[in-house]
Amino acid sequence: MNFQFNKNRKLNLLAATLFVLSLGACNTGSQPKAESLPDSTKIVSLNGAISEVLAGIGLDKNIVGTDVTSNYPENLKSKPKVGHNRNINAEGILALQPNLIIAAKKDITPAISAQFKAAGVKLLLLDQEFSADGTKKIIHTLADSLHLQAKGDSLAKILDTDLAAVKPVTKKTKVLFIYARGAGTMMVGGTGTQVETAIKLAGGQNAVTEFADYKPLTAEALVKANPDVILLFDSGLQSLGGIPGVVKIQGVKETNAGKNKRIISMDGELLGSFGPRLGIAIQELATKLN
């Protein structure tokens, strides 16, 4: 596996020189040094994790626009926003006159890709896997593609250190994640979600295993799952009126979580983006579960 990973990195490095040189040729008409990205490169990032990696390898100054999920580090909040990465509008992005657009492959349709190509803008698409290895892969792939592999290696080492510092839950703990946007919109997280992966990394168990992805919350499903802890995003908890509002949801009082008022929340972008702060997110989640 390591051999294959190293082989892929070598291929990335080979492609990176050509990629950076092509950017420089488009921007300046002359051949730049391949050791770094040309200062004139203007980037639009369409993914929160990607934006964090770009900032982590020192390219936040090159970012001229982001999607609405890109809010860390703090200086990204002031960048022009081009909408949500699941609803991309090519015209709004091209209006920022970028010469490099970076996104997760799953978020860009062939039609949108064709629009960027027709406009002569470079498009770098990355596979995004919601796991610790997936986060390291996106760091290395992005840094290598932009010929900043040393900075990518440093960022990945920080992630490894953060993950190694996690003190996972030792007691069997069933966790139910509820995605909420007010009492009228509440969904339960099943298997295969980012949050389930985070729960497992923290040593917990997903309380729901009967279905994949998300389904509307019902009192029957809640009682059947009988979670020890109910987890929400901070925004979701606030939309329900805090812990008192969650306890009032039908079925909650019948669960172990409701009886013991074990209801916790975390920043949604921190917990769900699987960016360079993944280790910090899992540390916080494990601490709250403990």
Side-chain angles (χ1 to χ4, degrees), residues 52 55-57 72 135-136 139-140 150-166 275-281 283:
E52 283 195 39
I57 60 177
Y72 186 90
T135 298
K136 284 184 273 191
I139 290 172
H140 286 305
K151 290 186 177 180
D153 289 343
S154 296
L155 194 60
K157 286 179 181 177
I158 292 172
L159 172 60
D160 281 334
T161 300
D162 289 339
L163 287 170
V166 173
R277 294 181 295 156
L278 176 62
I280 294 173
Q283 286 181 38

Side-chain angles (χ1 to χ4, degrees), residues 45-195:
S45 174
L46 301 177
N47 178 281
I50 289 173
S51 298
E52 283 195 39
V53 173
L54 288 171
I57 60 177
L59 294 179
D60 45 328
K61 62 185 181 299
N62 294 91
I63 297 175
V64 297
T66 73
D67 73 310
V68 296
T69 70
S70 299
N71 294 300
Y72 186 90
E74 187 72 22
N75 62 347
L76 292 188
K77 291 182 179 180
S78 62
K79 303 284 185 179
K81 301 299 178 186
V82 295
H84 198 283
N85 53 21
R86 294 176 185 171
N87 187 25
I88 300 300
N89 180 283
E91 289 76 15
I93 294 169
L94 294 174
L96 297 174
Q97 298 183 316
N99 39 36
L100 175 58
I101 298 168
I102 309 178
K105 191 177 293 183
K106 62 182 175 58
D107 294 328
I108 302 297
T109 65
I112 293 292
S113 181
Q115 284 182 273
F116 293 148
K117 184 177 179 180
V121 180
K122 296 287 179 181
L123 178 62
L124 179 57
L125 297 178
L126 304 174
D127 289 312
Q128 186 174 28
E129 303 166 10
F130 296 107
S131 65
D133 285 341
T135 298
K136 284 184 273 191
K137 182 179 178 181
I138 210 169
I139 290 172
H140 286 305
T141 301
L142 184 54
D144 290 357
S145 296
L146 299 179
H147 223 289
L148 293 167
Q149 64 271 21
K151 290 186 177 180
D153 289 343
S154 296
L155 194 60
K157 286 179 181 177
I158 292 172
L159 172 60
D160 281 334
T161 300
D162 289 339
L163 287 170
V166 173
K167 296 180 180 178
V169 180
T170 55
K171 181 181 177 182
K172 180 181 176 181
T173 304
K174 293 198 299 179
V175 184
L176 179 75
F177 174 67
I178 299 176
Y179 175 77
R181 295 179 64 182
T185 305
M186 290 186 290
M187 308 287 285
V188 174
T191 62
T193 68
Q194 294 117 281
V195 177

